[in-house]
Amino acid sequence: MSGTLEFSSRLQELGFTATAPYYEQLWSGFILVNFGIIKALYRYDQWTCPESCSMDTPMSECSCSCNASAIWNNDTVRTALFSDWTSAWGNETTMDLIEMMCEMGTVMGDHATSGSSSDPSFWVIHGTVERWLDLLIIEDRFESQSWTADGDVLFSTNIHPYTSVCKGHNEDDNLLFGPVDGFNFTNVEYYSYLSPKYPHTPYVYDNFRWEHCAKAGYPIRRSNNTHS
């Protein structure tokens, strides 16, 4: 998350303090909460971002923002998103927190959600996770690869003003970015299409060895069916 140090110091200014080893838990907890709140504000049309920025635009001029007063005066938004805050800390502190969030234009990433790619570490981790997934599929290690049932809420904190489910995440939802290789896949069809077991897969990792893990004392044990 950008602005982490500033975020931490602002929390202290508002009276949120903690000593080691709980200090990092304090600000990281607020970061995760704010991340969910910001997504919800966007869905309520209360969080706005520039449509585009040139490469030389300073980050201070190319960041998202919100209007704290507009949020506070919107009874629906305030009740849906900030009731817990007002109960815990009162109206004044809650308003201070909203103003801080709106002023900082924070860029956040969270590996639990579709905001993952906003975190630079996503791009380092993602390929490793995919290679591990391919190995699990090749070796038939999954007891089940069934999808979450349509209509189930994927995240209990998925606050949305119009629906309790997240369209695009279900098994039979079509890929939102359109056809791939001429096919209009559903999620489950695309998952099968990318299986490393099928010859039409456009690529597969050249090996499934993790020597650095073995050197660190965590060898990846593979079945005899996986030779690379």
Side-chain angles (χ1 to χ4, degrees):
M1 183 192 105
S2 70
T4 297
L5 293 177
E6 182 185 357
F7 187 88
S8 179
S9 63
R10 290 286 296 274
L11 284 177
Q12 292 183 68
E13 291 173 5
L14 294 177
F16 292 94
T17 59
T19 56
Y22 305 107
Y23 178 72
E24 290 192 3
Q25 295 179 26
L26 172 72
W27 65 255
S28 63
F30 268 103
I31 288 171
L32 292 176
V33 168
N34 270 24
F35 182 73
I37 291 291
I38 285 172
K39 288 202 302 179
L41 286 173
Y42 178 81
R43 292 165 174 167
Y44 278 101
D45 296 321
Q46 297 291 328
W47 185 262
T48 58
C49 302
E51 290 188 7
S52 63
C53 298
S54 62
M55 292 298 293
D56 58 352
T57 302
M59 188 169 179
S60 59
E61 299 175 16
C62 185
S63 59
C64 303
S65 63
C66 54
N67 185 310
S69 296
I71 292 170
W72 187 257
N73 292 326
N74 187 315
D75 292 340
T76 300
V77 175
R78 189 180 69 250
T79 301
L81 304 184
F82 300 105
S83 293
D84 290 344
W85 292 23
T86 55
S87 296
W89 305 309
N91 291 349
E92 183 177 350
T93 299
T94 298
M95 185 60 177
D96 288 340
L97 288 168
I98 296 172
E99 288 178 342
M100 178 189 72
M101 182 171 56
C102 290
E103 292 168 3
M104 291 186 64
T106 306
V107 177
M108 294 185 175
D110 178 356
H111 284 280
T113 72
S114 56
S116 298
S117 56
S118 295
D119 189 323
S121 64
F122 167 87
W123 301 100
V124 179
I125 294 171
H126 195 279
T128 297
V129 172
E130 185 180 36
R131 186 160 66 122
W132 177 243
L133 172 64
D134 277 4
L135 177 63
L136 297 180
I137 293 173
I138 290 171
E139 297 194 341
D140 295 317
R141 295 200 189 184
F142 286 111
E143 293 183 3
S144 171
Q145 296 184 61
S146 61
W147 214 270
T148 301
D150 285 2
D152 283 357
V153 177
L154 298 180
F155 298 99
S156 60
T157 57
N158 183 38
I159 302 172
H160 197 291
Y162 312 117
T163 179
S164 61
V165 297
C166 199
K167 180 175 174 56
H169 286 252
N170 296 314
E171 179 176 9
D172 295 322
D173 289 345
N174 289 107
L175 299 182
L176 297 180
F177 44 80
V180 176
D181 295 341
F183 298 99
N184 192 24
F185 290 110
T186 64
N187 284 322
V188 70
E189 289 170 343
Y190 191 55
Y191 179 75
S192 298
Y193 185 70
L194 294 179
S195 172
K197 288 189 170 186
Y198 299 137
H200 63 242
T201 304
Y203 78 94
V204 68
Y205 291 94
D206 65 339
N207 70 74
F208 294 96
R209 298 187 299 271
W210 286 268
E211 289 90 349
H212 59 288
C213 294
K215 289 179 180 178
Y218 300 96
I220 304 297
R221 292 180 173 83
R222 297 169 295 152
S223 72
N224 294 330
N225 296 326
T226 307
H227 302 292
S228 60

